Amino acid sequence: QVQLVESGGGLVQAGGSLRLSCAAPGLTLRTYAMAWFRQAPGKEREFVAGISRSGGSTSYADSVKGRFTISRDNAKNTVYLQMNSLKPEDTAVYYCAADATYIIASDRETSYDYWGQGTQVTVSS
């Protein structure tokens, strides 16, 4: 059922770093634009970062620009989110998503066909 699997979340102090990974046991990720979304308690799910099929184009939410980096290794069928300079407001469940339609990732969650179960990121002050 679950075709994307996130890992790498955990508890980190403010200013620290985490790297999230998104594996795809049921998909060939090179054919999908990929994105990371996050959802904090009481908030809507929001776009964090996106990457095109080949990895040549990336996009970021303003709130994470300059701190987070999305990347992919299609040979490993894995997408990553490197998160640096973490802030308490980054605390959320982070989800990866895959879209077969677009070459360049959309920031709209309705564009995505597959989702992972999410991984919790908690940033303490």
Side-chain angles (χ1 to χ4, degrees):
Q1 164 60 256
V2 178
Q3 295 168 93
L4 303 176
V5 181
E6 304 94 337
S7 62
L11 176 64
V12 65
Q13 292 191 183
S17 298
L18 286 173
R19 189 182 75 163
L20 306 184
S21 298
C22 177
L27 299 172
T28 301
L29 289 189
R30 66 174 180 82
T31 65
Y32 294 84
M34 300 293 295
W36 289 93
F37 289 77
R38 67 186 182 188
Q39 187 169 220
K43 304 293 184 181
E44 295 182 354
R45 189 173 297 182
E46 65 175 352
F47 173 81
V48 176
I51 189 166
S52 62
R53 291 180 182 179
S54 67
S57 297
T58 58
S59 59
Y60 298 92
D62 288 342
S63 60
V64 307
K65 196 172 298 180
R67 299 188 297 120
F68 291 11
T69 303
I70 187 171
S71 62
R72 67 192 301 159
D73 187 339
N74 286 338
K76 296 181 179 179
N77 211 41
T78 304
V79 177
Y80 305 96
L81 184 67
Q82 178 67 45
M83 305 185 294
N84 298 325
S85 301
L86 282 162
K87 305 174 180 179
E89 49 263 47
D90 295 318
T91 295
V93 176
Y94 284 70
Y95 300 88
C96 62
D99 174 34
T101 302
Y102 292 100
I103 303 298
I104 300 174
S106 169
D107 62 357
R108 299 171 181 172
E109 63 180 291
T110 54
S111 296
Y112 291 86
D113 304 295
Y114 301 100
W115 294 82
Q117 83 289 351
T119 186
Q120 176 70 232
V121 172
T122 302
V123 184
S124 63
S125 60

